[in-house]
Amino acid sequence: GTLSVSITGVDGAAVVVDIFRFGQQAENIEAAATTRHSDAIYRMLLEESGDNTAMFEGSIEYVLLNQLNVGELDTYTSLATIDDTIDILISTDSTDEDSVRVNYLDVD
């Protein structure tokens, strides 16, 4: 498929485009070898709780993908993926290198 995006910028505003991949892939949805995907970048927009406190506040809630919600459009369209409170999708077997990781940039 092809994705075409046209964005009109505003002086000083950042433009962010993140590509997400959610769902499952199998020749037969009932197959035992179904592969579930939950590849995404979530952005937390946090502000310091006070002057020079070094404390940033926000929250993360998760939705576990399962056989009941993986095919439901609302599972994906209701996610808040860039804010101080975000929702993330977790697929089964999210351990070790597949687990949720947090990367941050601390600038003065």
Side-chain angles (χ1 to χ4, degrees):
T2 302
L3 173 65
S4 178
V5 178
S6 177
I7 300 172
T8 302
V10 178
D11 281 345
V15 175
V16 175
V17 177
D18 295 319
I19 305 298
F20 294 67
R21 179 175 71 152
F22 299 127
Q24 63 186 16
Q25 174 183 348
E27 288 183 22
N28 176 353
I29 238 34
E30 306 295 324
T34 299
T35 302
R36 291 191 178 158
H37 304 287
S38 179
D39 302 323
I41 295 173
Y42 302 94
R43 298 177 185 266
M44 295 195 75
L45 304 176
L46 304 178
E47 293 185 16
E48 201 166 4
S49 60
D51 289 341
N52 300 315
T53 62
M55 297 291 293
F56 294 82
E57 298 175 355
S59 65
I60 301 173
E61 293 190 19
Y62 71 90
V63 174
L64 180 62
L65 285 180
N66 59 47
Q67 70 274 16
L68 300 176
N69 65 9
V70 71
E72 296 295 323
L73 184 61
D74 189 52
T75 301
Y76 312 100
T77 58
S78 63
L79 294 174
T81 60
I82 181 167
D83 205 343
D84 63 340
T85 300
I86 61 171
D87 305 317
I88 66 174
L89 284 179
I90 303 289
S91 60
T92 57
D93 301 325
S94 295
T95 58
D96 300 323
E97 67 274 356
D98 295 328
S99 63
V100 175
R101 291 179 300 278
V102 176
N103 298 319
Y104 64 92
L105 177 61
D106 184 10
V107 294
D108 291 331

